[in-house]
Amino acid sequence: MRGITHLGTFIEQARRDGDLLEIDRPVDPFLELAAVARATDGGPAVLFRNVKGHPRRSVITNIFGDRRRIARMCKVHPDYLPRFLADAALAPIPSVEPKAVPSQQHAIVADIDIAATVPITQQTRDDAGYVITGGLILARDPETGAFNGSYHRMRVLSKDTTCMTIQAGRHLLEIARKHKKAGRDRIPVTVNVGAGPAVLLACSGSTQQTLTPMGYDELGFAGALQGEPVTIAPALTQPGAWALGEAELVLEGYIDMTQLTSEEDSGQDGVKGMMPEAGGYMGRAWKVWTFTVTAITHRDNYTYWFPLAINAETTNLMGLPAEASVYDACRRISPRVFDTCQVLQGMRGCLGVVIRINRKSFRDEGLQNNLAFGALSAHSDLGWVIAVDHDIDIGNADDVMWAVITRGDMKDGMMLSPLAKVSGMLAEGSAAGLGRKVYIDATAPFAERERYTRGVFEPVDLAQWLGAEAAEKVRAQQSDYVKSLLARHH
């Protein structure tokens, strides 16, 4: 991610890579923009250049929708993104404060109107309303001074007010409690929309992971990912609040802990739908705190970042920091046997993880179980861990499921834990966040490994047999699973 410190440089690089879809047709922020973003899920980054009601404004989505694109930015193989992130988290680079920052080139401090200034969107007809989905809330711990960056959905309620959903256990909630303890009912924060990919990724991790515990400064993590310090600046209207210097758009303001409001208009708590969420279902609307905007600052011709929670962009953002925590824990347990890990798309960001091992001796038998326990401890939201051998394509769900079915022993190779903390998105998770964790050992017994050898075919250049056009037609018909097998096994 070196040299890609803001969205403009990302867009330029994606354009050079042929990995950017630019749409000039007018798009409506009400339902239409989200529908196109959903339809392009997992494809190139998408830049909408003509947003109805917002002349000269662009909207970008799907920055993180493709794991290969993320790996290309990091200059690593996609399988080893967790190692890259884990190494960066352990070598943070502190943020710096330059004299001037691009995010404050323009400032609106009077007659604030969020809807008129920002191309906010409504995703489905069942949504509670227009929601800011890519708002990175930057708050400073009042006791330690460490920066905490996190995302929280924000439905726009009026010209200068939104609600802000902060789930139980989040670090921002702990910062709020410190303010409350000190007798303060208002928390000065900034909501930063769009920044360098390193910042957006570093601040996307869950509270429940060991690699970035409470008090960890995510901006230092981002600095390590991009190889240079993140720039920050004091907020113009909120003493004690800081803004990201390379953000596209910043909402300055305060969280009001004295006022609860419903995310949707009926006022019912946990009954009505809010918007499609990362778990794959409609999220519920709750009574939450309000956020009052006291200033809007932005770059010249800023680009608005619009991630869909249900899309691969968000599940990758959630999954990669989770993988990094699992990777760091497992390599400490057994660097000899542990290879890498990955959260499959169906695991929805942090509900499960696949760990890959490579046993080299009969003495390594059983270490896969120790690694699984380490993985479950590294991220308490995890509900599932599946261990596979080194010949499995860890990013292909079909290959992983094949290993479960052909190598898993459901009598001795599966574990259900006692009740423990899990994500509320898991099927059996209770209101208190309790559920049973599942571990499946889908590795072949080391002593019987010869029984599980795959057939090795001779390599062949299909284009020489069929011609380039016919060979391409064959490849277009092949499933991702078949392509994975052909890429790994001849």
Side-chain angles (χ1 to χ4, degrees), residues 402-418:
W402 175 76
V404 169
I405 291 173
T406 63
R407 302 180 184 183
D409 180 345
M410 294 299 106
K411 180 176 180 294
D412 296 323
M414 189 174 84
M415 178 199 77
L416 285 177
S417 79

Side-chain angles (χ1 to χ4, degrees), residues 444-462:
F446 184 82
E448 301 174 30
R449 61 193 182 280
E450 295 303 323
R451 285 182 51 203
Y452 297 90
T453 302
R454 300 199 197 194
V456 179
F457 292 84
E458 293 301 308
V460 66
D461 183 350
L462 205 56

Side-chain angles (χ1 to χ4, degrees), residues 96-143:
V96 296
E97 181 188 349
K99 291 182 179 180
V101 294
S103 65
Q104 294 179 342
Q105 287 173 330
H106 300 275
I108 302 170
V109 296
D111 300 321
I112 291 168
D113 190 334
I114 300 169
T117 309
V118 184
I120 52 178
T121 60
Q122 180 167 330
Q123 299 176 38
T124 78
R125 295 186 186 278
D126 295 325
D127 286 11
Y130 286 80
V131 179
I132 296 171
T133 60
L136 192 165
I137 289 76
L138 190 62
R140 202 165 195 181
D141 189 307
E143 295 176 357

Side-chain angles (χ1 to χ4, degrees), residues 12 68 91-92 103 128 149 164 212 223 228 231 234 258 277 289 385 423 445:
E12 292 170 6
R68 294 166 298 181
S103 65
M164 186 179 291
T212 56
E228 60 183 276
T231 60
T258 67
E277 285 287 9
W289 289 331
V385 172
S423 169

Side-chain angles (χ1 to χ4, degrees), residues 157-206:
L157 302 175
S158 70
K159 287 186 175 183
D160 66 351
T161 308
T162 78
C163 50
M164 186 179 291
T165 308
I166 308 173
Q167 296 172 326
R170 302 296 299 272
H171 291 168
L172 183 56
L173 189 58
E174 294 304 311
I175 289 174
R177 287 171 176 156
K178 291 184 179 183
H179 279 280
K180 194 75 172 176
K181 184 179 178 181
R184 295 184 291 268
D185 291 324
R186 293 180 173 181
I187 311 167
V189 299
T190 60
V191 178
N192 303 262
V193 181
V199 178
L200 301 179
L201 177 55
C203 294
S204 66
S206 166

Side-chain angles (χ1 to χ4, degrees), residues 41 64-65 278 310-313 315-316 342-349 395:
D41 186 18
F64 299 93
I310 199 171
N311 273 13
E313 172 152 47
T315 53
N316 282 336
Q342 186 167 331
V343 175
L344 295 170
Q345 278 299 312
M347 292 172 165
R348 308 309 300 169

